[in-house]
Amino acid sequence: MTKNILSKKHWTCFFIIVVLYIFTVVTDIIYLPVLNIILCLLLIHNYLKEPFFSYGLSFKKIHIQIICSLLLAAIILFYLYGNAFTWNIYPFVIGRFMRHFSSYASLCLYFFNILVRALYDEIAFRGIFLSFFQRIFTKPLVSIVLCAILFGAADYLAGQDIFRAVLAVVTGFIYGYLRINEPEKFTVFSLSLTHFLQIFCADIIEFW
């Protein structure tokens, strides 16, 4: 990432994504994140005319990315919820959680919603926002911390309590650090998968 090169286009993209993210959180329209994901990709490709991989959007070594995302999700969940309940009854709890939905269609809609949520968060925060900060600050740690704080603030704005917001800052820091320091293993794709699994498991634990 080239440092200290910010054009008016970059600032425009940044403010568009910020405004749309706030609007998405406030309105809670289920299909709006899908449109925003498409808009983010169009802004990168057609407006900024920059390669996707510079924003963490890469599908190289996809099998390694999947393995890394599963391991990362397992580690984070263990430290966050290790004592929530005995892990060997997790399959039973998952089955009970899925039967809680009134129909197969509502279950699919639930999975679609959290998957899109995770993907949109990663494209916005570990993609556009993190890359934006990297163009301003020469030290990667500053960009990672600022992006993590924004991520926590977004969770708080979405109606989460302060504890959840702090957890979002911590996980946001981990995601950002890995995205910058392990770019082949932790791309926006693998981090989206980790994020998806975290949301799913957290919902199961709350349900239990």
Side-chain angles (χ1 to χ4, degrees), residues 110-150:
Y110 163 76
F111 279 118
F112 172 80
N113 185 29
I114 63 172
L115 178 62
V116 169
R117 241 175 77 197
L119 184 59
Y120 179 44
D121 277 351
E122 295 313 311
I123 289 177
F125 288 95
R126 258 63 63 181
I128 290 178
F129 292 162
L130 186 57
S131 298
F132 178 87
F133 289 136
Q134 281 184 279
R135 291 176 180 273
I136 300 175
F137 304 103
T138 55
K139 293 184 178 180
L141 187 61
V142 177
S143 302
I144 294 168
V145 169
L146 284 175
C147 201
I149 292 171
L150 270 183

Side-chain angles (χ1 to χ4, degrees), residues 56-73:
L57 293 156
S58 174
F59 289 94
K60 291 181 179 179
K61 299 182 179 179
I62 194 74
H63 59 296
I64 299 296
Q65 290 188 47
I66 292 173
I67 292 170
C68 289
S69 64
L70 293 175
L71 288 174
L72 177 61

Side-chain angles (χ1 to χ4, degrees), residues 83-122:
N83 297 321
F85 53 78
T86 307
W87 287 87
N88 59 7
I89 66 169
Y90 219 97
F92 165 76
V93 178
I94 291 174
R96 185 179 169 192
F97 176 76
M98 291 186 175
R99 288 193 296 273
H100 176 70
F101 291 89
S102 58
S103 66
Y104 181 73
S106 62
L107 178 62
C108 289
L109 186 62
Y110 163 76
F111 279 118
F112 172 80
N113 185 29
I114 63 172
L115 178 62
V116 169
R117 241 175 77 197
L119 184 59
Y120 179 44
D121 277 351
E122 295 313 311

Side-chain angles (χ1 to χ4, degrees), residues 9-45:
K9 287 186 176 182
H10 289 104
W11 282 105
T12 302
C13 287
F14 181 82
F15 286 115
I16 288 174
I17 302 305
V18 168
V19 171
L20 283 178
Y21 194 92
I22 294 172
F23 181 73
T24 303
V25 169
V26 172
T27 58
D28 199 27
I29 300 173
I30 190 169
Y31 294 109
L32 193 56
V34 179
L35 297 177
N36 289 344
I37 289 170
I38 296 171
L39 177 62
C40 286
L41 298 179
L42 289 174
L43 285 173
I44 293 170
H45 186 264

